[in-house]
Amino acid sequence: MADSAQAQKLVYLVTGGCGFLGEHVVRMLLQQEPRLRELRIFDLHLGPWLEELKTGPVQVTAIQGDVTQAHEVAAAVAGAHVVIHTAGLVDVFGRASPETIHEVNVQGTKNVIEACVQTGTQFLVYTSSMEVVGPNIKGHPFYRGNEDTPYEAVHRHPYPSSKARAEQLVLEANGRKVRGGLPLVTCALRPTGIYGEGHQIMRDIYYQGLRLGGRLFRAIPASVEHGRVYVGNVAWMHVLVARELQQRPALMGGQVYFCYDKSPYKSYEDFNMEFLGPCGLRLVGTRPLLPYWLLMFLAALNALLQWLLRPLLLYAPLLNPYTLAMANTTFTVSTNKAQRHFGYEPLFSWEESRTRTIRWMQAMDSSAQ
Ligand SMILES: NC(=O)C1=CN([C@@H]2O[C@H](COP(=O)(O)OP(=O)(O)OC[C@H]3O[C@@H](n4cnc5c(N)ncnc54)[C@H](O)[C@@H]3O)[C@@H](O)[C@H]2O)C=CC1
Ligand SMILES: CC(C)CCC[C@@H](C)[C@H]1CC[C@H]2[C@@H]3[C@H](O)CC4=CC(=O)CC[C@]4(C)[C@H]3CC[C@]12C
């Protein structure tokens, strides 16, 4: 009894805990972190599903707040042992202004770092992105690269620029003295394209396919590989990194880790078909149906329409010059750094990740009917 009372002593804070990844991190912490006493979930929009978590043995505290507001962040961080900062504005479709993206992703991260320093929180895990590396604006392939692979990271789009700046701030903060004199220990996780239960873009593509009579039309050559990782494994990596950062601060502090698992290397569209296929959708064509120059033209047209229509309505289709470049540039990761540094092994096999995602899509389908 004394042992378990002593063991259950840690307070964790998850920012963005009601987002796609954040919800999985929250649930994973509750399942896999026995030392947890209190779990704080900080988000701009709190989900109703939080209520069901409040009946368990861990104190779950939901905090509605904005990372751009330093005082709200500081109040949430005070007294936490570990902060997992997943909150971010994920926008590559032009829905938000570059200023807003910067404010949330960069200023929000600065606020989290300063709150840790001021209140004495020693461990900070930041959800970065593969996009801090690439694909770059020159379309250079990154083929099965790792954390040390040289690559010319050049960003113009506000989302990757903001993630890169925020990651840099987090890594530079490693070693700063927090209140009480101990050093801040930080690290950054870089997921590739995350998939799994709750993935909004997969949902959008599914409904687009239904509108097109159960068909999707191949736009990108099958030879262009795109890195993907299952959300459950990304969440597991967060939980493990947060735990091990406390045990091995000298090794892990200031480090970056790609998030990886056993998901196969495929093109963006072929990978999606692993889930959309069993839900009745078909990918038409073994090669792209439209020439690339025409896709570029359509993407540019979408960007122009977005700009022209902005005073009247928000036009934000999936296809724009940036998303086309992303989907059309090989970017895959092959690394074992997380395994070497903190013993990470994926919790979910590829088969399980696939089955769980398909089950979620099928449930979504039947609830829509
Ligand atoms: N979805 C993906 O494929 C990838 C995502 N990431 C990163 O993972 C993190 C989570 O992304 P997702 O779960 O996909 O996005 P999401 O949009 O589902 O979740 C982000 C959460 O942050 C919250 N949030 C946004 N602005 C906030 C603010 N000002 N204050 C407080 N909370 C705020 C949102 O309400 C949301 O719940 C982000 O930092 C993103 O950059 C990294 C790599 C890939
Ligand atoms: C119609 C087009 C030909 C296909 C459009 C697909 C795009 C919407 C997606 C292709 C690649 C995706 C991005 C990639 O997985 C990396 C990402 C990392 C993040 O940190 C956030 C999400 C994303 C930018 C992801 C977004 C959708 C794509 C651009």
Side-chain angles (χ1 to χ4, degrees):
M1 181 63 200
D3 270 2
S4 80
Q6 267 181 350
Q8 272 190 300
K9 60 182 182 185
L10 294 184
V11 178
Y12 273 56
L13 169 71
V14 180
T15 70
C18 292
F20 164 48
L21 171 62
E23 177 175 347
H24 285 267
V25 171
V26 162
R27 293 186 186 277
M28 188 64 74
L29 276 168
L30 291 171
Q31 283 166 19
Q32 300 281 351
E33 187 44 80
R35 296 174 312 152
L36 206 55
R37 172 166 59 81
E38 183 189 349
L39 178 54
R40 298 181 189 164
I41 298 155
F42 181 95
D43 204 300
L44 207 48
H45 309 287
L46 297 176
W49 55 272
L50 287 174
E51 288 310 310
E52 87 202 35
L53 306 182
K54 291 186 178 165
T55 53
V58 174
Q59 182 189 334
V60 172
T61 312
I63 307 167
Q64 199 258 318
D66 184 341
V67 287
T68 68
Q69 302 302 311
H71 64 284
E72 295 183 9
V73 179
V77 170
H81 297 95
V82 181
V83 175
I84 301 182
H85 178 41
T86 77
L89 193 44
V90 184
D91 181 22
V92 291
F93 305 112
R95 292 182 186 131
S97 70
E99 294 74 27
T100 308
I101 294 175
H102 185 275
E103 188 63 13
V104 175
N105 294 352
V106 180
Q107 187 57 46
T109 302
K110 275 188 194 163
N111 291 343
V112 170
I113 295 168
E114 290 312 316
C116 290
V117 170
Q118 282 160 23
T119 67
T121 296
Q122 221 200 324
F123 301 100
L124 170 62
V125 177
Y126 174 62
T127 313
S128 181
S129 168
M130 70 180 236
E131 291 226 14
V132 306
V133 181
N136 63 20
I137 51 170
K138 298 179 179 177
H140 293 157
F142 186 88
Y143 182 74
R144 318 238 168 138
N146 63 33
E147 290 83 353
D148 299 318
T149 304
Y151 187 79
E152 198 184 335
V154 197
H155 309 294
R156 290 230 182 96
H157 194 279
Y159 175 73
S161 309
S162 68
K163 294 298 287 184
R165 179 69 187 130
E167 182 190 272
Q168 186 190 15
L169 291 169
V170 168
L171 301 179
E172 284 172 0
N174 183 59
R176 271 182 76 180
K177 293 276 179 292
V178 304
R179 186 178 173 176
L182 292 169
L184 179 63
V185 188
T186 68
C187 78
L189 295 182
R190 294 173 174 169
T192 53
I194 307 174
Y195 69 93
E197 305 94 294
H199 188 208
Q200 183 62 43
I201 298 175
M202 187 83 82
R203 209 180 270 157
D204 293 347
I205 294 176
Y206 174 62
Y207 287 124
Q208 191 176 67
L210 289 185
R211 284 196 296 276
L212 292 170
R215 290 166 304 172
L216 289 166
F217 298 95
R218 188 184 290 279
I220 304 296
S223 57
V224 178
E225 286 185 357
H226 191 85
R228 303 294 283 272
V229 60
Y230 176 60
V231 67
N233 287 323
V234 180
W236 171 229
M237 235 173 128
H238 279 72
V239 171
L240 205 56
V241 107
R243 183 188 298 160
E244 294 300 319
L245 205 52
Q246 301 167 57
Q247 307 301 323
R248 313 172 202 206
L251 175 67
M252 294 171 61
Q255 294 288 330
V256 296
Y257 301 96
F258 277 119
C259 295
Y260 57 90
D261 62 13
K262 299 277 166 48
S263 303
Y265 298 112
K266 288 190 175 215
S267 74
Y268 189 78
E269 291 166 312
D270 285 305
F271 191 86
N272 287 349
M273 288 314 292
E274 292 281 351
F275 321 105
L276 298 170
C279 294
L281 258 56
R282 204 158 54 84
L283 182 62
V284 179
T286 50
R287 291 190 192 169
L289 291 188
L290 299 178
Y292 192 63
W293 66 264
L294 186 51
L295 273 177
M296 274 171 62
F297 173 76
L298 292 174
L301 188 64
N302 276 342
L304 178 67
L305 282 174
Q306 179 172 77
W307 183 74
L308 288 174
L309 294 171
R310 199 176 284 284
L312 303 171
L313 56 95
L314 179 65
Y315 176 67
L318 281 187
L319 179 66
N320 65 42
Y322 182 73
T323 58
L324 179 60
M326 288 288 307
N328 199 47
T329 306
T330 286
F331 196 102
T332 47
V333 163
S334 173
T335 176
N336 63 358
K337 183 173 174 183
Q339 189 267 324
R340 285 185 284 112
H341 279 207
F342 55 94
Y344 164 76
E345 291 294 342
L347 199 57
F348 302 94
S349 66
W350 157 239
E351 288 70 27
E352 204 173 344
S353 309
R354 183 173 177 272
T355 306
R356 283 171 169 254
T357 308
I358 293 170
R359 249 195 250 132
W360 164 72
M361 294 203 60
Q362 288 172 339
M364 183 173 84
D365 188 22
S366 54
S367 67
Q369 280 166 8

